[in-house]
Amino acid sequence: MRAGRIEVPENVRVYSVGKEKGYSEPRRAIEFYRLLFQILREDRIDVCFSHMIPIFTVLAAPVFKAKGIPIVTWHAHPSLTWILKLAHRLSDRMVTSVATAYPYRHDKLVVIGQGIDTDLFSPDDNVPPDKPPMILCVGRLSPVKDHPTLLKAVYLLRQRWDKPFQVVVLGNPATPRDESYAKVLHAQVKELGLEDIVHFEPAVPMVNLPSWYRRCTVYVNLTPTGSGDKVVWEAMACGKPCLVANEGFQETLGIYAAQLLFRYRDAEQLSDRFLWLLALPQEKRDMIGLYLRERVVKLHSLNHLTDQLLKIFLFLRKRKLQRRQDYEAQKVSDHRK
């Protein structure tokens, strides 16, 4: 929809339909088709991959169907709209990070992982965990992140754990509604008397996130089942134990799922999980963290994602060519008759 400053490899081209220029929706639709037909004139397209903008799938589908070009649409979000339903119908395959992140029928769905850069997000023995131990929560300040449950759990933990610890909430509000939400969180911290424990830090560029993950003792994510929050996989890739409310992470958590999952909005249970992890010897926490990293590398690394996508693209291209050959053969057969 929009393009900002772009630094991409030489074999990548980026086109924008003009939202950053203030184009209206009708003008953006016209620009979309202008660019689409230009690309189809200049290039031989094997497969269309539509990422997180299902309206693009819907707009392009009539043209691609006429040309026999298969469509793969990526969607990982709990919101189910009529546009997504139509995009599902028009796509040859739907792909997503985890099954619970796709809210519609699974008849065309292939789960391919999140695509985490496990070279960037990796453990570093030269960066020891902070003292006192840090509980870290990364993500925008938004109601869906359920920070109030975190604050209640921290309040309970302070009553049960007689050693010092700290909590860092890293992220910014993104909308006016989020601004109001952030004010409520600051007020809740003051009301619970957690000013000396809970600290709010502004969001940082992605390249700076690994150092935050490496410094924490425990990572926590409170979003509900139905979305795949990639920051969890990033923290796991850095070798950190992660507590999550989202059951979509169950496969990645593997043998530790029962200990690391907690019920959504259950501050009491989350507090128990914090207490258990903080009381573990460092060697045991490291063992859990390294196991989780291995799971992320296997299921959600960039290499795994691209391998899965390429398998799908190549299969659809082969099917497209086979259908063309069958059509030509049928034409010859009909002509001979």
Side-chain angles (χ1 to χ4, degrees):
M1 285 292 183
R2 62 163 67 88
R5 294 181 58 189
I6 299 167
E7 295 180 16
V8 294
E10 291 183 1
N11 64 334
V12 174
R13 282 171 289 166
V14 177
Y15 303 88
S16 167
V17 296
K19 192 170 184 179
E20 76 279 7
K21 300 175 184 176
Y23 289 1
S24 64
E25 286 190 358
R27 185 172 179 183
R28 273 182 270 152
I30 293 170
E31 186 71 3
F32 177 85
Y33 284 112
R34 185 187 71 79
L35 292 169
L36 180 63
F37 285 115
Q38 174 187 327
I39 292 165
L40 289 172
R41 283 195 306 270
E42 296 174 353
D43 296 295
R44 181 181 61 83
I45 303 300
D46 293 306
V47 179
C48 167
F49 179 47
S50 176
H51 184 271
M52 284 303 291
I53 309 184
I55 188 62
F56 281 0
T57 298
V58 173
L59 290 172
V63 179
F64 285 139
K65 295 294 182 185
K67 291 182 173 291
I69 297 172
I71 303 171
V72 179
T73 299
W74 167 290
H75 188 85
H77 194 277
S79 177
L80 178 59
T81 65
W82 68 268
I83 293 176
L84 177 61
K85 291 180 180 180
L86 186 54
H88 179 105
R89 183 178 181 85
L90 295 170
S91 298
D92 294 87
R93 290 290 185 275
M94 302 296 298
V95 294
T96 192
S97 54
V98 291
T100 55
Y102 188 68
Y104 195 44
R105 300 200 310 259
H106 286 194
D107 55 320
K108 295 181 178 180
L109 187 68
V110 182
V111 176
I112 62 174
Q114 179 63 40
I116 300 299
D117 185 344
T118 52
D119 291 329
L120 174 63
F121 295 99
S122 60
D124 187 343
D125 294 336
N126 296 318
V127 182
D130 278 14
K131 293 183 179 181
M134 180 208 300
I135 296 170
L136 178 65
C137 181
V138 174
R140 74 183 190 277
L141 300 184
S142 173
V144 72
K145 305 299 183 181
D146 191 30
H147 297 93
T149 298
L150 171 61
L151 299 181
K152 293 173 189 174
V154 171
Y155 175 77
L156 294 172
L157 177 63
R158 186 176 62 175
Q159 296 175 337
R160 301 169 178 177
W161 181 250
D162 58 1
K163 299 179 182 179
F165 68 95
Q166 58 178 318
V167 178
V168 173
V169 178
L170 184 68
N172 296 334
T175 66
R177 182 189 177 201
D178 293 345
E179 294 278 0
S180 300
Y181 172 75
K183 292 178 181 177
V184 170
L185 293 181
H186 284 276
Q188 186 178 2
V189 168
K190 188 173 181 180
E191 180 183 342
L192 296 174
L194 299 174
E195 297 99 324
D196 59 329
I197 295 177
V198 177
H199 311 284
F200 292 89
E201 297 288 343
V204 299
M206 186 179 71
V207 293
N208 294 342
L209 278 175
S211 63
W212 278 99
Y213 294 135
R214 292 163 185 159
R215 288 170 49 197
C216 77
T217 296
V218 180
Y219 183 83
V220 62
N221 183 272
L222 302 102
T223 54
T225 302
S227 61
D229 207 334
K230 68 176 183 178
V231 290
V232 179
W233 288 302
E234 292 171 354
M236 291 182 188
C238 290
K240 295 299 175 178
C242 295
L243 295 173
V244 295
N246 185 341
E247 293 179 4
F249 290 106
Q250 187 160 355
E251 183 184 19
T252 314
L253 296 174
I255 61 173
Y256 293 107
Q259 295 103 312
L260 297 176
L261 277 167
F262 63 93
R263 287 185 295 272
Y264 177 58
R265 289 188 173 172
D266 191 332
E268 184 85 22
Q269 189 178 64
L270 177 56
S271 177
D272 290 341
R273 298 287 194 268
F274 282 145
L275 189 61
W276 167 68
L277 277 172
L278 290 175
L280 284 178
Q282 184 63 47
E283 296 78 13
K284 178 63 175 176
R285 285 196 297 265
D286 289 343
M287 186 174 71
I288 295 172
L290 290 176
Y291 171 83
L292 295 178
R293 173 173 169 79
E294 290 173 2
R295 299 290 291 172
V296 172
V297 170
K298 178 181 179 181
L299 300 171
H300 295 284
S301 66
L302 277 174
N303 286 340
H304 176 77
L305 176 75
T306 52
D307 286 346
Q308 294 296 101
L309 275 176
L310 283 171
K311 286 179 184 177
I312 295 168
F313 294 163
L314 292 171
F315 167 78
L316 291 175
R317 184 179 69 169
K318 182 178 179 180
R319 190 177 70 173
K320 169 189 169 185
L321 293 174
Q322 185 62 51
R323 285 176 174 174
R324 183 178 296 170
Q325 291 171 3
D326 292 345
Y327 174 73
E328 294 297 332
Q330 186 63 45
K331 282 176 59 178
V332 172
S333 175
D334 291 344
H335 179 72
R336 286 175 178 171
K337 289 179 182 177

